[in-house]
Amino acid sequence: MRRKDRDAAELRPVKITTGVNPFAEGSCLLEAGQTRVLCNATVEPGVPKWKQEAGGGWITAEYSMLPRANRTRTPRERGSGPSGRTMEIQRLIGRSLRACVDLSALEGYTITLDCDVLQADGGTRCASITGAWVALYQALEGMVQRDQLSAMPDILPVAAVSTGLLEGSLLLDLCYEEDRDADVDLNLVMLKDNTLVEVQGTLESGRFDRRMLNRMMDLGEEGIRQLIEMQDKAAGPAE
């Protein structure tokens, strides 16, 4: 048994609560163990200038962590703007959500996904992607109901999870302590059809080979399959 009395290949307890913000076009609170992320979707007319000639719509994301989301207070990001880590994560969220939707169907609209970490215990970027998809799906349904879209765009669920190698054991869905101490950690972003959006792997110490990478990805794929089942139940079945 690993820390927190969890099997090596077991996700943390996951709960997805939808409609938590009545003012947003789509919203959900995703809880994965002690990690909690609030995801809000905003629909606005217009697209970035560079996108106007290309046609279609746009999906983007912003990510932030509340000062006491961590074990010690982290100052708010002001003045110089978002840190490099924040920019990296919100770009990843945006890429992941754009990969799952036919942007040409969103002609003239931008959807912004705001992912705010209320409590961080590892895996905040993965939780943000998984929860943001649910908020996005709700926003698209609302656009159809308001006649902003003639039909629901083609959309596939996309989710993300971490795997890692700690003290010789391969683990799924790392909490903070496991991520901190892992020899290897990997974040996997995948669509429901098993196509990849992103693979982020980092070696902290030692070495690992291709066979271990394949094992880590296989374990992550199984975790994502479970997360997508939860997304389907929360947002309604998606093809």
Side-chain angles (χ1 to χ4, degrees):
M1 299 295 289
R2 69 199 290 189
R3 302 166 193 176
K4 312 290 186 184
D5 294 329
R6 203 164 31 112
D7 288 337
E10 184 179 353
L11 292 170
R12 289 175 287 182
V14 176
K15 181 180 179 182
I16 303 175
T17 306
T18 59
V20 294
N21 183 353
F23 303 126
E25 281 75 28
S27 65
C28 85
L29 175 66
L30 189 141
E31 302 171 71
Q34 294 191 69
T35 290
R36 295 178 175 86
V37 182
L38 175 63
C39 302
N40 287 303
T42 300
V43 178
E44 296 175 302
V47 295
K49 287 185 178 181
W50 62 266
K51 182 67 175 170
Q52 291 172 359
E53 292 186 7
W58 189 243
I59 296 173
T60 188
E62 293 191 13
Y63 168 95
S64 68
M65 190 173 294
L66 295 185
R68 275 318 306 261
N70 285 303
R71 288 153 180 77
T72 58
R73 185 180 187 278
T74 302
R76 297 181 191 274
E77 294 181 342
R78 297 190 177 107
S80 59
S83 66
R85 177 182 181 275
T86 295
M87 290 297 295
E88 173 204 349
I89 293 175
Q90 60 190 33
R91 286 170 178 164
L92 171 61
I93 299 168
R95 287 196 300 272
S96 301
L97 274 295
R98 289 192 293 274
C100 74
V101 181
D102 177 12
L103 293 177
S104 66
L106 305 183
E107 184 67 45
Y109 288 98
T110 293
I111 302 177
T112 302
L113 283 307
D114 287 295
C115 301
D116 294 291
V117 179
L118 310 181
Q119 188 169 302
D121 188 35
T124 61
R125 70 187 66 194
C126 295
S128 295
I129 292 167
T130 304
W133 183 88
V134 176
L136 173 63
Y137 191 91
Q138 290 182 321
L140 293 173
E141 284 190 319
M143 293 178 75
V144 174
Q145 294 168 5
R146 294 188 298 273
D147 294 324
Q148 293 172 309
L149 297 176
S150 60
M152 191 70 174
D154 291 334
I155 178 171
L156 281 173
V158 62
V161 76
S162 64
T163 62
L165 188 62
L166 175 63
E167 298 174 356
S169 297
L170 183 56
L171 305 178
L172 176 67
D173 192 15
L174 308 183
C175 68
Y176 169 75
E177 289 88 355
E178 292 167 343
D179 182 69
R180 178 195 62 196
D181 297 337
D183 298 315
V184 183
D185 65 83
L186 181 144
N187 293 312
L188 183 65
V189 186
M190 183 178 286
L191 296 162
K192 188 175 184 177
D193 63 0
N194 294 329
T195 54
L196 296 168
V197 176
E198 193 132 348
V199 180
Q200 298 179 334
T202 303
L203 175 70
E204 298 295 342
S205 63
R207 297 180 295 176
F208 74 108
D209 57 22
R210 178 65 176 270
R211 286 183 298 175
M212 178 56 69
L213 174 62
N214 291 340
R215 288 180 60 199
M216 294 176 74
M217 292 188 64
D218 288 343
L219 181 59
E221 181 178 335
E222 173 58 25
I224 286 175
R225 184 191 64 78
Q226 296 176 45
L227 290 170
I228 286 175
E229 289 178 358
M230 298 177 201
Q231 288 176 320
D232 281 347
K233 290 179 181 178
E239 297 299 330

